[in-house]
Amino acid sequence: MSLLSRIIGLLQVDSTVGDLAGNAQRIEHLAKQASKNGAQLAVGTELSVCGYPPRDLLLQPDFITTSFATAKSLNVEIPVLVGTPIPAEQERNLPANGVVRAGTLNASPNGDKTNRVVAKKQLLPSYDVFDETRYFSPTNRSGICRSIGGIELGVTICEDAWQAAGLTPSTYGQDPIASLAEWGRQGVALDATVNLSASPYHADKVSSRIKVCRTAAQILQHPFLLANQVGGNDDLLFDGCSLVAWPDGQVVVAPAWQEGVLLVDLDQPSNCRWLAMDSSDALCVGTDEIKFLGSSLEGHEESSAILEDITDAVITGLTDYCRKSGITRIVLGLSGGIDSAVAACVACAAVGPSNVLGIAMPSRFSSQHSLDDAQYTAEALGMEFKIEAIDDMHSTLESKIGGVLTAGNPVALENIQSRLRGIIVMAHANAENRMAIATGNKSELAQGYCTLYGDMAGGYTPLGDLYKMQVYALAEIFNHRAVQDGSTPPVNNSTLTKPPSAELAPDQKDEDSLPPYEVLDEILRLHIEQTKDADDIVDAGYSREMVVDVLTRLERNEHKRWQMSPAPRVTSKAFGQGWRRPLASKHDWRD
Amino acid sequence: MSLLSRIIGLLQVDSTVGDLAGNAQRIEHLAKQASKNGAQLAVGTELSVCGYPPRDLLLQPDFITTSFATAKSLNVEIPVLVGTPIPAEQERNLPANGVVRAGTLNASPNGDKTNRVVAKKQLLPSYDVFDETRYFSPTNRSGICRSIGGIELGVTICEDAWQAAGLTPSTYGQDPIASLAEWGRQGVALDATVNLSASPYHADKVSSRIKVCRTAAQILQHPFLLANQVGGNDDLLFDGCSLVAWPDGQVVVAPAWQEGVLLVDLDQPSNCRWLAMDSSDALCVGTDEIKFLGSSLEGHEESSAILEDITDAVITGLTDYCRKSGITRIVLGLSGGIDSAVAACVACAAVGPSNVLGIAMPSRFSSQHSLDDAQYTAEALGMEFKIEAIDDMHSTLESKIGGVLTAGNPVALENIQSRLRGIIVMAHANAENRMAIATGNKSELAQGYCTLYGDMAGGYTPLGDLYKMQVYALAEIFNHRAVQDGSTPPVNNSTLTKPPSAELAPDQKDEDSLPPYEVLDEILRLHIEQTKDADDIVDAGYSREMVVDVLTRLERNEHKRWQMSPAPRVTSKAFGQGWRRPLASKHDWRD
């Protein structure tokens, strides 16, 4: 072991998909901070130069070559391992998802040359939100980078490390961690292995990553360092939480939801430090504390800490969606109910209260307390607020097509109110260059208890992956944070305590159509996240009639979920598969 | 060569995704027809027992085992090769996309046993509309079925045969046709090779399939038979056109858009026959002629024949979407313009004129000729028609939020009209249990010249993959077909000749905002189908300003295309990738 300290900077970058020049600048800036603070070398995240997931941009050959050239020409003072697509060597082959060694200085005479490709991804995930076999070709060679900043490194990319920990849904024909261990047994002495990741967030995902890194460090018998992307790209969120594990089980974890550098001292866990990104547009949500875990500590969060983390996740999602899409102003319908109150809290946190407009749109079925609660929330948050009653238009429409409406399915009558509100919200969005946000939650979307082209209208659904009871929990968190800041709690007590109602018919309550949300949420969670079928859920203690009703509504309303605008992914499983259009023609094969 | 004739029935099945029992019945019924007409054995299509594409159903282990069991227990009198998912032999492995030999009789003592798995797919496509590496594991073993109905068969599955013809976008590490040829050289004498396909349609796709089959027959030096799925599953259409090629280049092609059996006489191309499915719900669009191509004939269609075929494709798409989703009635906005007139023709062909309601919804900007043309089309088709003026609601809304509307982006004022119409159409859909269809075309969708939650509202977009000029061509075809049937041509002459207008502002014409459609369509086609960039298109003779405008609008309106309801895929390339949500955060990496 060298007498000098051996310091590696893990660059936790908030890459924007497609913004090659901007991403390069962020990487260069973070590498400079790492260098100034004593790092011999730095490690970026998976595909950091083009942002993850680049999807169909990868079908443009220019995009591959331009990303690769950008990665190789980074202007950095220490060697930096950068994730980038690598052009295929042969025609009609797919590119690789790889790593380039950038940086012109410090290349040791015996070490790897600057600009060399040092690794290509071996395990390409194609499940859940991942689609990598569509775009990339895998390799079967281990990534190794010799004498970089005086350090011998194994180099892996995200999924490469997950099979060894048993955390992939199916097995691959090779194991990169086992291969590196075999190299070690053959006499190739490595000081550490790094992993460039773009590992998406869901609640408590960090405990899986800790397992991955501890397993690899234990197998390899040297420190295992994982640099993870941070920020949001559409509905994929990356929490950062870059981390390092030592063979004895010690772990250091960087903050979530912040761009910056985790300075890792390979020989002294307690010397690890966090350097926050200092540029004005840097993502900076949540706290900047790093976590030190002894070998016996699991890293699992308490549920209260998980809810705080989900709150930050939801804020990050909308913040980055707006920043990366050039959206500066938001409009939403503010009904006085819990969903729109919490959505307003998120919107104000994302773009600032002065850029958010809430519109209350009472019909004859709306109660005064709803209007009061909406106004209370708007005032507490300091956002713009207006009232546009829809009663006259509602009546005009009823008198016009009343015959059709009253003779048919009663839902038609309810939906016209929601759609009139959609028109008003969208008119403000179009006229004032705002993005409309939809305020729905996962529980109601799962049941189709929402209106296509009505309350589902909008470019983003901040609460769309939260169950209803989680929305209540977030309300409490926003209230608590406000109190700590000396502000007025934004969600009124009556909003928190009144029975949920769509207010689309006289004295309507959600519970007239749905099970109580405490129960509904649990049934949905068992089915969606734990893939339990009706029999399993009945065995868990729910009535068969209720379970069948819930699951039937879930099937029948697939088309609505398809039309949902992006929602930050915060639960461990989205409906079916996030990216695939459901088949309307899908029969129930169990009939 | 045997003295008996050697007859194989290719079962061109209209499978419904997930309807295992229904699909099994259709296969059994077609096999019976094949048997009665002298076939020794029959060959179904890829995954015919569960329908293609099954997508996330494949993530349910029960679905795999139930499909497999259903395939093995088919009640058939001759041996039938059936496509089915095959459960993985080891835990944590993905299933295979394979073929089972069903049928209890005629198993020769030396031949393969009944219910044996005779092939697994070797090349798994994961590009464009295909996603197979997500769900399946590939094999590297050739599929061979010995002494089945007295015939020795090579067995391949769809993509397996495409690489040999150079028609895959990237290369795989193996080639199933070359492997079978190698078996032949090693002395395994095969009489023919079959291919079970679910090869989706686009215009003139059949000429690619002819090339695939001719290439394989030539390499293998025996007949190559391809059985293809027919019908629609969401926006994927399958034209059927099952075919056989002989080594000398002769080809016989089954009809498109019809369920049935192509009886193939291996020794006598001219003896091939078509047996149409005789059940009452069988898909039966277009003509039932089979095509005989000599070795010198290309099989490329004239453009007029291609347009006739596209017309049948669009009808098939909506017909099967409705049948398979249990939809019997349709509603649409009927404006008097070309798009809604042609959409009405398609709707009437799909569910019958008595089940289609068209609503004209004039605003103060609508012309009398529009109303007249709408009424003309409704009467010619014999569908229901009503008029619901939106002027009063339009005025109410303007007086309510006029300040916002007039001060801001003028598009807000136009959109409220389209969205009011959306409410009326959806109210009829909800009340009367009809599906609303959106009437937009590919050209306007590509430019964002349409309104989210307005004219884009609906469960299916029959013309969504047709360029505007193709919509005009379809109008002529529907008119011509009506004349041939002795009916009134449904699209009025004035609809065909007046300048296209959205009629959302005084004297508005589409050409005020867009290039003439003849030009726009060509620019879009060069970009979308031939993946040309701006420079290439300018070189092809278009002004740079126009090209940049068109491509900029195309980028900016990705979010609208994502919200488009399913549209039958009829052009060779959809926007970007059909199934992937575009990234709002996608920067222009060329900046």
Side-chain angles (χ1 to χ4, degrees):
Chain A
M1 195 176 292
S2 144
L3 288 172
L4 288 167
S5 59
R6 303 180 303 170
I7 312 279
I8 298 179
L10 299 181
L11 312 184
Q12 185 161 302
V13 196
D14 184 5
S15 287
T16 298
V17 169
D19 184 13
L20 306 183
N23 296 336
Q25 270 180 17
R26 299 185 100 78
I27 297 167
E28 288 167 356
H29 186 77
L30 288 172
K32 184 167 240 168
Q33 282 184 277
S35 164
K36 275 200 302 198
N37 285 276
Q40 283 102 316
L41 72 114
V43 179
T45 61
E46 181 177 13
L47 298 181
S48 43
V49 81
C50 62
Y52 193 96
R55 295 209 192 109
D56 56 330
L57 287 174
L58 294 167
L59 300 179
Q60 300 183 49
D62 284 13
F63 182 74
I64 310 288
T65 52
T66 312
S67 295
F68 187 52
T70 305
K72 289 199 294 185
S73 61
L74 281 182
N75 181 13
V76 285
E77 290 153 8
I78 50 173
V80 181
L81 299 185
V82 194
T84 174
I86 314 274
E89 281 156 33
Q90 296 186 316
E91 236 189 310
R92 299 194 64 220
N93 279 12
L94 293 171
N97 176 349
V99 178
V100 155
R101 178 208 193 289
T104 49
L105 299 176
N106 289 1
S108 106
N110 305 319
D112 273 329
K113 293 221 170 47
T114 285
N115 295 341
R116 194 181 141 254
V117 174
V118 295
K120 294 178 179 175
K121 196 168 182 177
Q122 299 173 68
L123 309 187
L124 298 176
S126 285
Y127 55 84
D128 199 59
V129 301
F130 305 110
D131 246 331
E132 296 193 23
T133 49
R134 171 173 287 264
Y135 302 111
F136 295 116
S137 185
T139 184
N140 54 12
R141 282 207 311 227
S142 293
I144 287 183
C145 191
R146 313 303 305 266
S147 302
I148 175 169
I151 297 171
E152 307 289 318
L153 273 190
V155 183
T156 59
I157 303 168
C158 209
E159 188 83 348
D160 286 347
W162 285 68
Q163 176 167 282
L167 291 176
T168 58
S170 62
T171 52
Y172 299 85
Q174 54 188 338
D175 188 301
I177 300 301
S179 302
L180 279 174
E182 182 56 31
W183 278 76
R185 284 189 292 272
Q186 307 281 334
V188 179
L190 298 176
D191 296 305
T193 291
V194 295
N195 181 280
L196 292 85
S197 281
S199 171
Y201 172 77
H202 61 68
D204 201 29
K205 177 84 167 275
V206 71
S207 62
S208 303
R209 283 192 219 110
I210 289 172
K211 185 177 176 196
V212 165
C213 292
R214 274 185 175 150
T215 304
Q218 228 253 312
I219 293 172
L220 296 167
Q221 283 298 305
H222 58 231
F224 190 86
L225 293 74
L226 184 155
N228 194 28
Q229 181 170 312
V230 70
N233 279 320
D234 276 14
D235 36 4
L236 282 195
L237 295 182
F238 302 88
D239 49 336
C241 291
S242 297
L243 77 160
V244 52
W246 281 264
D248 65 0
Q250 287 191 83
V251 169
V252 175
V253 187
W257 317 118
Q258 298 206 347
E259 209 174 6
V261 181
L262 181 64
L263 270 189
V264 176
D265 184 328
L266 288 183
D267 308 301
Q268 191 56 266
S270 62
N271 273 353
C272 292
R273 284 197 294 144
W274 175 248
L275 312 169
M277 173 74 144
D278 54 4
S279 84
S280 61
D281 69 341
L283 180 69
C284 187
V285 173
T287 69
D288 59 359
E289 280 168 35
I290 64 180
K291 266 185 251 174
F292 293 85
L293 298 177
S295 49
S296 62
L297 294 172
E298 280 287 340
H300 276 296
E301 300 283 2
E302 296 293 315
S303 63
S304 65
I306 288 179
L307 284 165
E308 291 279 349
D309 191 40
I310 288 177
T311 308
D312 293 335
V314 168
I315 293 170
T316 297
L318 185 58
T319 301
D320 257 14
Y321 190 85
C322 290
R323 180 172 69 83
K324 293 177 178 179
S325 311
I327 293 157
T328 54
R329 303 173 80 198
I330 284 176
V331 58
L332 75 163
L334 200 62
S335 69
I338 185 76
D339 296 320
S340 62
V342 175
C345 294
V346 177
C348 290
V351 297
S354 63
N355 292 313
V356 180
L357 166 65
I359 314 178
M361 294 166 283
S363 77
R364 81 182 80 108
F365 303 124
S366 302
S367 53
Q368 184 61 41
H369 67 75
S370 291
L371 214 52
D372 296 343
D373 287 340
Q375 181 143 18
Y376 170 90
T377 292
E379 282 173 8
L381 287 168
M383 62 191 270
E384 263 189 272
F385 179 65
K386 60 157 84 171
I387 300 173
E388 296 289 358
I390 61 165
D391 226 17
D392 46 357
M393 288 171 51
H394 185 190
S395 303
T396 308
L397 198 50
E398 280 176 320
S399 66
K400 190 185 248 333
I401 53 171
V404 172
L405 290 171
T406 49
N409 188 333
V411 81
L413 253 170
E414 300 186 8
N415 283 343
I416 57 171
Q417 297 164 65
S418 182
R419 293 194 175 116
L420 282 170
R421 292 181 177 125
I423 291 189
I424 293 173
V425 168
M426 289 304 297
H428 284 79
N430 292 159
E432 302 183 339
N433 203 20
R434 298 175 183 270
M435 178 171 73
I437 58 173
T439 61
N441 60 66
K442 185 166 179 156
S443 307
E444 68 178 32
L445 267 161
Q447 298 296 282
Y449 200 71
C450 49
T451 301
L452 256 179
Y453 321 130
D455 56 320
M456 289 179 67
Y460 193 86
T461 313
L463 312 179
D465 199 29
L466 290 171
Y467 297 103
K468 183 77 171 188
M469 298 311 295
Q470 290 179 310
V471 177
Y472 279 104
L474 259 65
E476 304 276 9
I477 288 175
F478 278 110
N479 278 353
H480 183 68
R481 289 184 180 182
V483 170
Q484 287 196 309
D485 287 353
S487 319
T488 313
V491 186
N492 205 3
N493 209 42
S494 66
T495 300
L496 286 164
T497 53
K498 67 188 171 191
S501 165
E503 297 197 333
L504 295 171
D507 296 321
Q508 189 180 39
K509 301 275 173 291
D510 292 9
E511 285 195 20
D512 301 340
S513 308
L514 302 174
Y517 283 113
E518 294 86 343
V519 177
L520 174 61
D521 285 4
E522 280 318 302
I523 294 174
L524 290 174
R525 203 188 299 268
L526 286 167
H527 183 67
I528 298 170
E529 326 242 335
Q530 297 179 37
T531 61
K532 304 285 187 208
D533 66 14
D535 289 340
D536 297 335
I537 301 173
V538 170
D539 288 349
Y542 298 92
S543 90
R544 180 167 298 274
E545 191 191 345
M546 184 186 281
V547 171
V548 168
D549 278 354
V550 168
L551 299 190
T552 304
R553 279 192 294 262
L554 185 72
E555 285 277 293
R556 293 238 169 98
N557 287 288
E558 275 196 340
H559 66 285
K560 284 191 178 169
R561 294 192 295 285
W562 171 255
Q563 302 248 359
M564 183 174 83
S565 53
R569 183 185 165 99
V570 298
T571 62
S572 66
K573 286 234 171 104
F575 299 110
Q577 300 206 71
W579 303 108
R580 257 129 288 283
R581 187 194 286 269
L583 286 153
S585 52
K586 192 162 85 176
H587 271 226
D588 189 345
W589 56 275
R590 286 151 301 204
D591 273 353
Chain B
M1 196 174 290
S2 145
L3 287 172
L4 286 167
S5 60
R6 303 180 303 169
I7 312 280
I8 298 180
L10 299 181
L11 311 183
Q12 184 162 302
V13 196
D14 184 4
S15 287
T16 298
V17 169
D19 185 13
L20 305 183
N23 296 337
Q25 270 180 16
R26 299 185 101 78
I27 296 167
E28 288 167 356
H29 186 77
L30 288 172
K32 185 168 241 168
Q33 281 184 276
S35 164
K36 275 199 302 196
N37 285 277
Q40 283 102 315
L41 72 113
V43 178
T45 62
E46 181 178 13
L47 298 181
S48 43
V49 80
C50 62
Y52 194 97
R55 295 208 192 110
D56 55 329
L57 287 174
L58 293 168
L59 300 179
Q60 300 182 49
D62 284 13
F63 182 74
I64 310 288
T65 52
T66 312
S67 295
F68 188 51
T70 305
K72 289 198 295 186
S73 61
L74 281 182
N75 180 14
V76 285
E77 290 154 7
I78 50 173
V80 181
L81 299 185
V82 194
T84 174
I86 314 275
E89 281 154 32
Q90 298 186 313
E91 237 188 311
R92 299 194 63 221
N93 279 12
L94 292 171
N97 176 348
V99 179
V100 155
R101 178 207 193 288
T104 49
L105 299 176
N106 288 1
S108 107
N110 305 319
D112 275 328
K113 293 221 173 47
T114 287
N115 295 342
R116 194 182 141 252
V117 174
V118 295
K120 294 177 179 175
K121 196 169 183 177
Q122 299 174 69
L123 309 187
L124 298 177
S126 285
Y127 54 85
D128 199 60
V129 301
F130 305 111
D131 247 332
E132 295 192 24
T133 49
R134 171 173 287 265
Y135 303 111
F136 295 116
S137 185
T139 185
N140 54 13
R141 281 207 312 228
S142 293
I144 286 183
C145 190
R146 312 302 304 266
S147 302
I148 176 169
I151 296 172
E152 307 288 320
L153 272 190
V155 183
T156 59
I157 303 168
C158 209
E159 188 83 348
D160 285 348
W162 285 68
Q163 176 167 281
L167 291 176
T168 58
S170 62
T171 52
Y172 299 86
Q174 53 188 338
D175 188 302
I177 300 300
S179 302
L180 280 174
E182 182 57 32
W183 278 76
R185 283 190 292 274
Q186 308 281 335
V188 179
L190 298 176
D191 296 305
T193 292
V194 295
N195 182 281
L196 293 83
S197 282
S199 171
Y201 173 76
H202 61 70
D204 201 29
K205 177 85 166 271
V206 72
S207 63
S208 303
R209 283 191 219 110
I210 290 172
K211 185 177 176 195
V212 165
C213 293
R214 275 187 174 148
T215 304
Q218 229 253 312
I219 294 172
L220 296 167
Q221 285 297 305
H222 58 231
F224 190 86
L225 293 73
L226 184 155
N228 194 28
Q229 181 170 313
V230 71
N233 280 320
D234 276 14
D235 36 3
L236 282 195
L237 296 182
F238 301 88
D239 48 336
C241 291
S242 298
L243 76 162
V244 52
W246 280 264
D248 65 1
Q250 286 191 84
V251 169
V252 176
V253 187
W257 317 119
Q258 299 206 348
E259 209 174 5
V261 181
L262 181 64
L263 270 188
V264 176
D265 184 328
L266 289 183
D267 307 302
Q268 191 56 265
S270 61
N271 272 353
C272 292
R273 283 197 294 145
W274 176 248
L275 312 169
M277 174 74 143
D278 54 4
S279 85
S280 61
D281 68 342
L283 180 69
C284 187
V285 173
T287 69
D288 60 359
E289 280 168 35
I290 63 179
K291 268 185 248 175
F292 294 85
L293 298 176
S295 49
S296 62
L297 294 172
E298 281 287 340
H300 277 296
E301 300 283 2
E302 296 292 316
S303 62
S304 65
I306 288 179
L307 284 165
E308 291 280 350
D309 191 40
I310 288 177
T311 308
D312 293 336
V314 168
I315 293 170
T316 297
L318 186 56
T319 301
D320 258 14
Y321 190 85
C322 290
R323 181 171 70 82
K324 294 177 177 179
S325 313
I327 294 157
T328 55
R329 304 172 80 198
I330 284 176
V331 58
L332 75 163
L334 200 63
S335 69
I338 185 77
D339 296 320
S340 61
V342 175
C345 294
V346 178
C348 290
V351 297
S354 63
N355 293 314
V356 180
L357 166 65
I359 314 178
M361 294 166 284
S363 76
R364 82 181 79 108
F365 303 124
S366 302
S367 54
Q368 184 59 42
H369 67 76
S370 291
L371 214 52
D372 295 342
D373 287 341
Q375 181 144 16
Y376 169 91
T377 292
E379 283 174 8
L381 287 167
M383 62 191 270
E384 264 188 272
F385 179 66
K386 60 158 84 170
I387 300 174
E388 296 289 359
I390 62 164
D391 227 16
D392 45 358
M393 289 170 51
H394 184 190
S395 303
T396 309
L397 198 51
E398 280 177 321
S399 65
K400 191 184 247 337
I401 53 170
V404 172
L405 290 171
T406 49
N409 189 333
V411 81
L413 253 170
E414 300 187 9
N415 283 342
I416 58 171
Q417 297 163 64
S418 182
R419 294 194 175 117
L420 282 170
R421 292 183 177 123
I423 291 188
I424 293 173
V425 168
M426 289 304 297
H428 284 79
N430 292 161
E432 302 183 339
N433 204 21
R434 298 175 182 270
M435 176 171 74
I437 58 172
T439 60
N441 60 67
K442 184 167 182 158
S443 306
E444 68 180 31
L445 268 161
Q447 298 296 281
Y449 200 70
C450 49
T451 301
L452 258 178
Y453 321 131
D455 57 320
M456 289 179 69
Y460 193 85
T461 312
L463 313 180
D465 199 30
L466 289 171
Y467 296 103
K468 183 78 171 188
M469 299 310 295
Q470 289 179 310
V471 177
Y472 279 102
L474 258 65
E476 304 276 9
I477 288 175
F478 278 110
N479 278 354
H480 182 68
R481 289 184 180 182
V483 169
Q484 287 195 310
D485 285 353
S487 320
T488 313
V491 185
N492 205 4
N493 208 41
S494 66
T495 300
L496 286 165
T497 53
K498 67 188 171 191
S501 166
E503 297 195 332
L504 294 172
D507 296 322
Q508 188 179 39
K509 301 276 173 291
D510 292 9
E511 287 197 17
D512 301 339
S513 308
L514 301 175
Y517 283 112
E518 294 85 344
V519 178
L520 174 61
D521 285 4
E522 280 317 302
I523 295 174
L524 291 173
R525 202 187 299 268
L526 286 166
H527 183 67
I528 299 170
E529 326 242 333
Q530 298 179 35
T531 61
K532 304 285 188 206
D533 66 14
D535 289 339
D536 296 335
I537 301 173
V538 170
D539 288 349
Y542 298 93
S543 90
R544 180 167 297 275
E545 192 190 345
M546 184 185 282
V547 171
V548 169
D549 279 354
V550 168
L551 299 191
T552 304
R553 279 192 295 263
L554 186 72
E555 284 278 294
R556 294 238 168 97
N557 287 287
E558 276 195 340
H559 66 287
K560 284 191 177 168
R561 295 193 293 285
W562 170 255
Q563 301 249 358
M564 183 174 83
S565 53
R569 183 183 166 99
V570 298
T571 63
S572 66
K573 286 230 171 109
F575 299 111
Q577 300 207 69
W579 303 108
R580 257 131 287 282
R581 187 194 286 268
L583 285 154
S585 53
K586 192 161 85 176
H587 271 226
D588 188 346
W589 55 274
R590 287 151 300 202
D591 274 354

